[in-house]
Amino acid sequence: MVHYRRARVLAEAERFEQALAEAEAAVAAHERGGEQGEIPRAEAVRIAALIEGNGLARFKDAVARLTTAVARCRAAGLPEATHILDALREDYTKR
């Protein structure tokens, strides 16, 4: 959670490269959490994609990140997370 919070604070400060690195560290940390880490991992991916898309204008990279995360959430049986990430992916795909 420390990496996640740092990512959000750094994004607020418009330090997007550092924020993305922290968000990616949060994703990696939650991957080690097994099944219980899937929901916080999905949230960390969402933040990483927002930073990547809105902060850095790397929409293709964000879409790729979200596509992988959507598939993972579907496989884990997380319909709400799937819907949220898929909606963001669709938004970025249209940009």
Side-chain angles (χ1 to χ4, degrees):
M1 290 306 294
V2 172
H3 291 295
Y4 173 81
R5 291 184 191 277
R6 281 184 188 155
R8 291 190 63 132
V9 168
L10 288 165
E12 286 279 327
E14 297 185 6
R15 293 168 56 188
F16 299 119
E17 290 290 346
Q18 291 170 303
L20 182 57
E22 287 294 332
E24 288 173 340
V27 171
H30 289 303
E31 282 181 359
R32 294 188 296 270
E35 191 175 302
Q36 291 184 359
E38 284 301 315
I39 292 175
R41 182 190 180 282
E43 172 58 11
V45 168
R46 184 184 75 84
I47 292 298
L50 287 169
I51 293 165
E52 209 162 35
N54 296 342
L56 298 169
R58 296 181 193 160
F59 295 105
K60 285 185 180 182
D61 293 337
V63 167
R65 178 188 303 276
L66 290 163
T67 299
T68 301
V70 165
R72 185 170 173 149
C73 287
R74 239 183 228 123
L78 301 171
E80 185 177 352
T82 300
H83 174 73
I84 291 167
L85 296 175
D86 198 35
L88 181 57
R89 181 179 62 133
E90 289 301 316
D91 179 43
Y92 283 174
T93 300
K94 293 175 185 174
R95 292 188 191 197

